[in-house]
Amino acid sequence: MRRNWILGMVCLLGCGILLAAEEPSVVREVREGLQQRMAEIPKIGSYGWIHSSEEERTEWTQFHALKAEVDAKLAQPQNVSEAQWQEILRKIVPSMLEKVRHAIDLYGEFLPLTESQWNELEPEEKTYWEEVKKRKAELETLWTNRENVPESTWLDVLEELNEKTVPRPLPERVAPYRPPHTPEVVNGTAEEAQQKIEADWLFQADHQPTILRTRQEIGYAQELAERFSGVDFSESLQQLATLEKTLEGLDENQIDAEKYLAVRRIKRKIHLANPAIHFDTIVYVDMPKPQGSEMDHETRHRVGCMAVPGGRLMKLEGLSPDGKQTKLMPQEPLHGSFWRPDVSYDGKQILFCFKPHNEKAFHLYEINADGTGLRQITRGIFDDLDPIYLPDGEHILFLTARGYTYVRCMVSANSFIMARMKRDGSDLYLLSRNMESEYTPSVLNDGRIIYTRWEYTDKPLWRCQSLWTMNPDGTQVQTFWGNQSVWPDVLKDARAIPGSEKVMFTGCGHHAWFDGSVGIIDPGKGLNYPDGLSKATPDVPWAECGDGPAEKNASDRYHASGKYSQYYSPYPLSEEDFLVSAQRGDKFVLLLMDIHGNRELIHEGVYHIFHAIPLAPRNIPQVRQDQVLWPTLAEREKPAPGVIYSNNVYENAPEELRGKAKFLRIWSLEPKTYTMWEKRPYATMGPATSMVQSDGVKRILGTVPIEEDGSVSFSAPSGVALHFQLLDENHRALQTMRSFTGVMPGEVRGCLGCHESHIRSPKITAVGKAMQRAPSTITPVPWEDISVSFDRYVQPVLDKHCGKCHQNPEHEAFRTLNLTKRPGFLFFDEPYVTLTGHPTWGKPYPQPENPSPGFGWADTILVEGFHVMDPKAYVTTPPMTKLSYKSRLVKRMASGTHHDVKVTGEDLLRVILWVDAMCPYYGSEELRAMPDPQFDGVEFVAVKPRIQTAPLIPRPGPLDAWKSEKDPCYAPPTLERVNALPHGIAR
């Protein structure tokens, strides 16, 4: 048989491609089985490999070795007998019993286990799960006696369960199945703790405890004692002096672990006597990292379907590895996953998020510090993350997927935006207008909320995750630092430093897990790189983007101690001291650290310790009173508007702009509640709305007048992302806002002007004319379809005014510039591709030397036409250099000099709006004609991806904390409801 197979092999185009039909079935089974198993396990050294258990890595190491052996045999299959192939197949393909066990586990994966879970079921759901529970019990009994069960029975079981379950889809973006398990709490002895501490000390010395290093540690310890004024260290300092004398005359390169460890014992005693450590108990999360494909993305790893069980919410009494550990959560019979907890201001309660292993989403919970009084605050299909207590004692703020939004450049990543509700779960409102994710909010000393805002409105998608602030009611959203910076890449986990205006944060990566280097921001010294920025861990570069050209250390005396490769979730204790998770090898441990480089091990967990926070009373920040007209349920579709004003739109703007602006144009950015999930037709987008950038749908709300003195004031729809442009008398854009803002209901807020920088304060010499009258009402465009697309805004104008020549194959103009709609690049039709100039992504845009007529005539800002690390990509574009004011397409249409063609009125305005909207390809009407995505693995996603039926969620709400998915606003929107919304398809 093998001889006939060899003779039947066919080489295609010299590439050695074999016809699968000619390969023996057993060899094909080996190939397919090997491919399947390799898709299930991570590569050695990869993200999933590093953050897996030791047992899993052992198993996978063995399989990688087996793969290498099998690959060698597959290279020369004719030298392997069929019996040998069968033996290999048995090693690769799971056994019958392994398949059965896995199928039983998947069958009962989402079976309710607690009384509350059963109580939340609808009658039909309860009936279904009762049947599953009964059948699973029967199967578990059968499994207990599996040695006596014939293979035919197991085949019947597999056939039955294969019809009732869906195998975990390997290509899709969900975590592989992991049997639910929570490690037991094991308190270590003092001797074991000392061994761990000394092992960490030796790690810090790179396992080379030389006499030189010992002398250095004596100096570091003396500096600590000097810094902690008011504490009596005379005994410790005397001990150090005695030890220092024993080092006299010794070779600096000599290894002496005993002397080194003796110094470190004294230094630890000094370090832990730091007056900033006013607590002896901490709360933290000990958890395995999420798993699944694309886990290196900043947002993707936080989705509930990527979580794996095994996490624990822990309390540690005593800042040492032998401190008393208490597992607060999970409680039997549940296992699960966690993100960042928070401690009440009186230190008596803990607020946290938890994903039970048999549910698909994270929910919010609260528990007393002693482990009693557990209560669940939210339920449903939406992930709720990172809750924090607000200073008023009545509300909590958190991140949620209830906006139903998706990241524009990561099609399968839900966006988590900020929300607020009362501590009992009532009055849930969405505070954010963002469509991208926001991260790790916390309360500043003055009562404002600081958080990471990811947004890239008309900016490259690479480096736009900076720090912002807002009031606890969602008003007065302001940039805090880095909105026009490349370094660091993502500023995350920002927390106020006690008694200071500075904040500490982690500088992590856009396409990476939330770890990196620790930094400090002093906003009083500037709002963009490098002003006001310093590094607390300068030996570790900023993640992904690396260090910039002008880095500054937080301490001139910093010394590196050990090769800790990454840091995570720092908690500042003073301007110099902080708790932080540090990656040592393949594990994150908890350290006490200072900006000078001194480190002491506090604890290490079974998996990774993250989000450590003192369990103790703390100062209550300033309480900021609500300024919002919160809509009722009946009012949420039409919340009260706000007012936006500027005393002078020319403030901080270039002089050449002054006096030219006659109107302010207001755009609305539609929340991206739609996604293709697994498909990316262009770049990273799905659906792709633009060739120019990773864009969303833009709606033109209209214009308001600008007074002669540059002032403007208008009534603005609330809960909507707004974006502004200065216009000349012909409604051409002079300057554009490359970000977004907005108002809460009833909010009145001002802007500095169409500035190049946020650093300079406005010079207010008189109240502008616009503020001396009632706010203007937005004048809408004179048509109904207000979402901009090429097919509706430009192509009909080309057909009407240019088609006679440029769409006539017999005409010379057709051969010069073909404006007929036809296939272009990928799914983008011509002439869209030509008019936009065929933009580049992530690399400098090469200007053609002799471009063909029409090429790039839109003259839009080529948002992605920069290197991914180019700071120029994020600065404000000089006015009157791009968009409709300079557009050759607009000029040629409007001038009347091109063969007497003069486009006017609505036709010209539509083209102007398309150019000024950054040349979108699709609008809402085109998108909502696309079918909802169907894909393997949709069963594992809590929030079902949609396009045609995608909802439009009214912001700010209110929404239901328990049954949001039953809310009518999540149903497919009717045309009447869409048209009534502030950001609807029509006015």
Side-chain angles (χ1 to χ4, degrees):
M1 181 180 68
R2 187 181 301 110
R3 181 173 182 273
N4 292 334
W5 166 58
I6 294 172
L7 292 175
M9 290 192 305
V10 179
C11 180
L12 300 179
L13 302 177
C15 296
I17 300 175
L18 305 181
L19 291 178
E22 300 297 333
E23 192 172 62
S25 60
V26 65
V27 179
R28 289 201 303 275
E29 289 180 41
V30 167
R31 290 186 189 277
E32 292 168 0
L34 193 64
Q35 183 179 10
Q36 177 79 0
R37 288 299 300 276
M38 289 306 297
E40 294 175 0
I41 68 177
K43 296 178 181 179
I44 295 176
S46 69
Y47 183 93
W49 178 277
I50 292 173
H51 304 300
S52 58
S53 68
E54 184 177 347
E55 293 79 7
E56 287 172 324
R57 288 198 298 271
T58 300
E59 174 190 344
W60 295 339
T61 298
Q62 294 171 350
F63 193 82
H64 275 283
L66 176 62
K67 179 182 182 297
E69 177 184 334
V70 175
D71 283 342
K73 288 181 169 59
L74 287 171
Q76 294 181 316
Q78 67 276 12
N79 298 330
V80 183
S81 68
E82 185 165 352
Q84 289 174 312
W85 284 126
Q86 293 291 352
E87 178 64 25
I88 291 171
L89 197 59
R90 281 191 289 273
K91 294 179 181 180
I92 292 175
V93 178
S95 68
M96 172 71 72
L97 288 179
E98 288 176 318
K99 293 178 180 178
V100 169
R101 181 66 262 172
H102 185 62
I104 294 174
D105 289 339
L106 289 181
Y107 180 52
E109 182 175 5
F110 300 113
L111 176 68
L113 296 175
T114 67
E115 182 179 356
S116 62
Q117 287 177 338
W118 281 105
N119 290 339
E120 287 303 309
L121 297 176
E122 300 292 339
E124 63 275 12
E125 294 175 319
K126 189 172 184 179
T127 299
Y128 169 79
W129 285 113
E130 284 174 342
E131 294 175 357
V132 172
K133 182 179 179 181
K134 178 181 177 181
R135 180 55 179 151
K136 188 172 187 298
E138 295 171 350
L139 293 171
E140 293 292 357
T141 300
L142 198 64
W143 178 260
T144 303
N145 302 296
R146 56 188 174 276
E147 292 82 0
N148 302 320
V149 178
E151 185 174 290
S152 59
T153 301
W154 289 131
L155 287 172
D156 292 339
V157 169
L158 282 176
E159 185 176 359
E160 172 198 351
L161 296 184
N162 284 339
E163 294 178 356
K164 296 179 178 179
T165 63
V166 178
R168 185 67 89 240
L170 301 176
E172 298 308 328
R173 298 164 181 90
V174 300
Y177 175 78
R178 290 288 180 264
H181 168 72
T182 303
E184 294 295 324
V185 175
V186 179
N187 284 304
T189 65
E191 181 180 358
E192 291 170 336
Q194 190 61 33
Q195 290 174 351
K196 291 180 179 180
I197 291 169
E198 291 183 359
D200 192 71
W201 288 338
L202 292 170
F203 176 83
Q204 291 183 32
D206 299 323
H207 299 284
Q208 297 292 314
T210 63
I211 296 301
L212 174 60
R213 180 59 188 243
T214 303
R215 284 201 180 98
Q216 291 171 336
E217 290 293 345
I218 291 174
Y220 303 150
Q222 291 169 337
E223 290 175 356
L224 281 173
E226 182 179 354
R227 183 159 71 86
F228 303 151
S229 59
V231 182
D232 182 8
F233 291 117
S234 56
E235 181 180 350
S236 296
L237 290 173
Q238 181 58 50
Q239 291 171 343
L240 288 173
T242 301
L243 282 169
E244 190 170 25
K245 287 184 179 180
T246 67
L247 305 181
E248 294 178 359
L250 298 179
D251 182 357
E252 289 189 343
N253 296 320
Q254 177 182 331
I255 302 286
D256 193 326
E258 183 178 346
K259 287 183 172 59
Y260 169 76
L261 295 176
V263 170
R264 292 304 304 260
R265 293 186 193 102
I266 300 170
K267 182 188 176 188
R268 181 179 178 89
K269 183 178 179 181
I270 294 173
H271 203 165
L272 291 176
N274 185 345
I277 306 175
H278 56 84
F279 54 91
D280 63 359
T281 304
I282 58 173
V283 171
Y284 62 91
V285 170
D286 183 3
M287 58 178 276
K289 286 198 172 183
Q291 297 181 21
S293 63
E294 295 200 283
M295 280 304 305
D296 286 347
H297 190 276
E298 62 179 288
T299 290
R300 187 75 192 112
H301 71 267
R302 294 171 68 77
V303 183
C305 62
M306 311 305 290
V308 293
R312 302 181 298 173
L313 179 66
M314 301 290 291
K315 178 172 70 173
L316 178 69
E317 300 173 77
L319 304 182
S320 172
D322 61 344
K324 180 186 176 183
Q325 302 178 74
T326 303
K327 183 189 73 173
L328 300 174
M329 278 289 284
Q331 297 180 2
E332 294 293 337
L334 297 177
H335 309 274
S337 310
F338 299 86
W339 286 115
R340 192 178 63 158
D342 194 31
V343 172
S344 62
Y345 287 99
D346 60 9
K348 295 180 179 179
Q349 293 175 302
I350 301 163
L351 191 62
F352 63 96
C353 56
F354 170 63
K355 192 196 86 69
H357 74 276
N358 62 341
E359 296 187 32
K360 299 176 183 179
F362 285 90
H363 312 305
L364 302 187
Y365 299 76
E366 189 177 50
I367 194 170
N368 293 330
D370 62 3
T372 64
L374 175 68
R375 68 184 185 93
Q376 185 169 349
I377 305 174
T378 64
R379 285 193 184 277
I381 63 173
F382 297 104
D383 286 303
D384 298 320
L385 307 175
D386 297 351
I388 59 173
Y389 290 99
L390 292 180
D392 65 1
E394 184 181 2
H395 293 91
I396 61 176
L397 185 145
F398 61 102
L399 303 176
T400 185
R402 295 168 189 270
Y404 217 107
T405 46
Y406 295 86
V407 175
R408 279 178 278 177
C409 73
M410 171 58 72
V411 292
S412 60
N414 301 88
S415 286
F416 300 98
I417 60 174
M418 283 188 292
R420 191 187 85 161
M421 65 183 174
K422 290 183 178 177
R423 291 176 66 169
D424 63 3
S426 62
D427 290 350
L428 194 164
Y429 289 94
L430 303 177
L431 302 185
S432 174
R433 295 166 285 275
N434 207 350
M435 70 173 76
E436 263 67 58
S437 284
E438 292 159 335
Y439 307 124
T440 56
S442 66
V443 184
L444 291 173
N445 299 325
D446 64 6
R448 289 178 298 160
I449 306 301
I450 188 168
Y451 62 100
T452 304
R453 169 165 135 172
W454 179 19
E455 62 99 352
Y456 41 91
T457 302
D458 296 342
K459 290 185 292 192
L461 58 86
W462 308 101
R463 317 263 99 87
C464 298
Q465 296 83 205
S466 55
L467 295 179
W468 290 69
T469 61
M470 70 175 184
N471 290 333
D473 62 358
T475 60
Q476 299 303 313
V477 175
Q478 303 284 354
T479 181
F480 183 82
W481 194 92
N483 196 41
Q484 294 185 334
S485 300
V486 165
W487 302 279
D489 190 354
V490 180
L491 291 88
K492 161 256 171 193
D493 263 339
R495 289 187 183 272
I497 293 175
S500 171
E501 293 185 356
K502 300 176 183 178
V503 299
M504 181 172 284
F505 69 96
T506 307
C508 55
H510 181 169
H511 303 92
W513 172 260
F514 269 6
D515 54 19
S517 193
V518 178
I520 295 174
I521 295 291
D522 183 350
K525 294 182 178 179
L527 304 185
N528 281 293
Y529 183 88
D531 300 325
L533 173 69
S534 61
K535 296 189 72 174
T537 54
D539 51 317
V540 176
W542 301 124
E544 186 167 340
C545 65
D547 287 342
E551 300 295 346
K552 178 184 177 183
N553 293 354
S555 169
D556 294 334
R557 304 195 309 274
Y558 181 84
H559 59 273
S561 293
K563 294 180 173 61
Y564 298 96
S565 56
Q566 299 291 328
Y567 294 91
Y568 192 107
S569 58
Y571 188 93
L573 305 175
S574 72
E575 289 208 22
E576 297 179 83
D577 307 288
F578 54 99
L579 296 171
V580 68
S581 298
Q583 186 171 5
R584 187 186 64 195
D586 60 0
K587 190 176 190 178
F588 278 86
V589 299
L590 181 63
L591 301 179
L592 170 66
M593 189 172 168
D594 65 18
I595 62 173
H596 313 295
N598 297 298
R599 299 162 171 86
E600 289 294 339
L601 178 69
I602 299 299
H603 197 54
E604 59 180 87
V606 175
Y607 295 109
H608 309 278
I609 293 182
F610 297 130
H611 308 299
I613 180 171
L615 184 57
R618 53 192 168 122
N619 293 331
I620 301 177
Q622 175 185 341
V623 177
R624 293 177 173 251
Q625 298 301 317
D626 271 8
Q627 302 294 322
V628 175
L629 299 176
W630 298 105
T632 64
L633 185 62
E635 297 168 336
R636 69 176 182 179
E637 298 285 351
K638 294 185 178 180
V643 173
I644 296 178
Y645 68 90
S646 175
N647 201 61
N648 185 359
V649 298
Y650 302 118
E651 186 66 46
N652 292 335
E655 189 63 31
E656 61 267 26
L657 189 60
R658 191 170 301 275
K660 290 185 172 63
K662 306 303 179 183
F663 301 96
L664 183 74
R665 179 185 290 147
I666 299 100
W667 294 97
S668 168
L669 303 178
E670 179 185 273
K672 186 178 179 288
T673 57
Y674 44 83
T675 178
M676 289 181 169
W677 184 258
E678 86 287 12
K679 293 181 180 178
R680 300 181 182 186
Y682 179 65
T684 59
M685 299 180 288
T689 61
S690 171
M691 194 175 180
V692 175
Q693 60 175 317
S694 193
D695 208 354
V697 169
K698 291 176 179 170
R699 303 185 182 281
I700 174 61
L701 298 187
T703 60
V704 294
I706 296 173
E707 300 290 347
E708 292 180 359
D709 62 357
S711 62
V712 64
S713 174
F714 65 96
S715 177
S718 60
V720 178
L722 301 177
H723 163 83
F724 307 137
Q725 291 176 328
L726 295 183
L727 309 181
D728 67 5
E729 67 278 6
N730 297 314
H731 288 256
R732 297 176 302 176
L734 302 164
Q735 179 74 304
T736 190
M737 174 183 177
R738 299 177 72 184
S739 186
F740 71 86
T741 187
V743 289
M744 294 293 285
E747 178 182 2
V748 178
R749 67 163 301 163
C751 292
L752 295 181
C754 295
H755 41 75
E756 291 185 314
S757 168
H758 288 275
I759 295 176
R760 290 169 287 180
S761 300
K763 301 174 183 178
I764 299 178
T765 56
V767 177
K769 291 182 179 180
M771 274 68 76
Q772 299 176 32
R773 55 167 171 76
S776 299
T777 299
I778 298 174
T779 301
V781 291
W783 55 75
E784 294 298 312
D785 59 321
I786 63 172
S787 79
V788 182
S789 77
F790 183 80
D791 272 357
R792 284 181 290 107
Y793 273 57
V794 180
Q795 190 64 53
V797 178
L798 297 177
D799 295 345
K800 177 180 177 181
H801 296 278
C802 311
K804 180 180 178 180
C805 301
H806 289 279
Q807 294 177 355
N808 180 4
E810 304 299 323
H811 200 287
E812 181 181 353
F814 176 85
R815 293 186 288 275
T816 302
L817 174 60
N818 182 356
L819 295 179
T820 306
K821 182 178 179 179
R822 62 197 189 280
F825 176 74
L826 298 179
F827 70 92
F828 297 107
D829 286 336
E830 286 286 10
Y832 175 85
V833 178
T834 293
L835 293 176
T836 56
H838 207 309
T840 58
W841 278 63
K843 59 183 179 180
Y845 182 76
Q847 293 289 346
E849 291 186 7
N850 296 298
S852 59
F855 189 86
W857 278 8
D859 288 308
T860 190
I861 299 172
L862 297 178
V863 173
E864 295 290 348
F866 298 85
H867 186 274
V868 297
M869 297 298 298
D870 190 346
K872 294 178 182 178
Y874 300 90
V875 300
T876 302
T877 304
M880 300 177 290
T881 58
K882 287 290 182 181
L883 302 180
S884 59
Y885 189 84
K886 274 290 186 178
S887 171
R888 287 165 287 175
L889 177 65
V890 171
K891 181 178 180 180
R892 183 157 295 218
M893 284 185 166
S895 67
T897 60
H898 181 67
H899 300 287
D900 297 324
V901 172
K902 187 174 179 64
V903 183
T904 60
E906 292 184 16
D907 286 349
L908 181 61
L909 183 57
R910 279 183 176 264
V911 176
I912 287 174
L913 288 169
W914 174 74
V915 170
D916 290 344
M918 298 286 189
C919 302
Y921 188 68
Y922 284 148
S924 185
E925 288 84 338
E926 290 79 12
L927 290 175
R928 290 187 179 274
M930 300 179 183
D932 290 348
Q934 299 296 325
F935 55 91
D936 291 339
V938 68
E939 296 84 358
F940 300 104
V941 181
V943 180
K944 299 299 183 288
R946 294 149 67 179
I947 303 179
Q948 192 171 69
T949 67
L952 291 172
I953 312 305
R955 302 189 191 187
L959 301 174
D960 189 334
W962 284 72
K963 285 289 185 180
S964 284
E965 63 270 28
K966 303 295 183 182
D967 193 312
C969 72
Y970 291 103
T974 63
L975 181 61
E976 292 76 18
R977 175 174 171 263
V978 170
N979 286 345
L981 292 173
H983 51 298
I985 292 176
R987 296 187 304 278

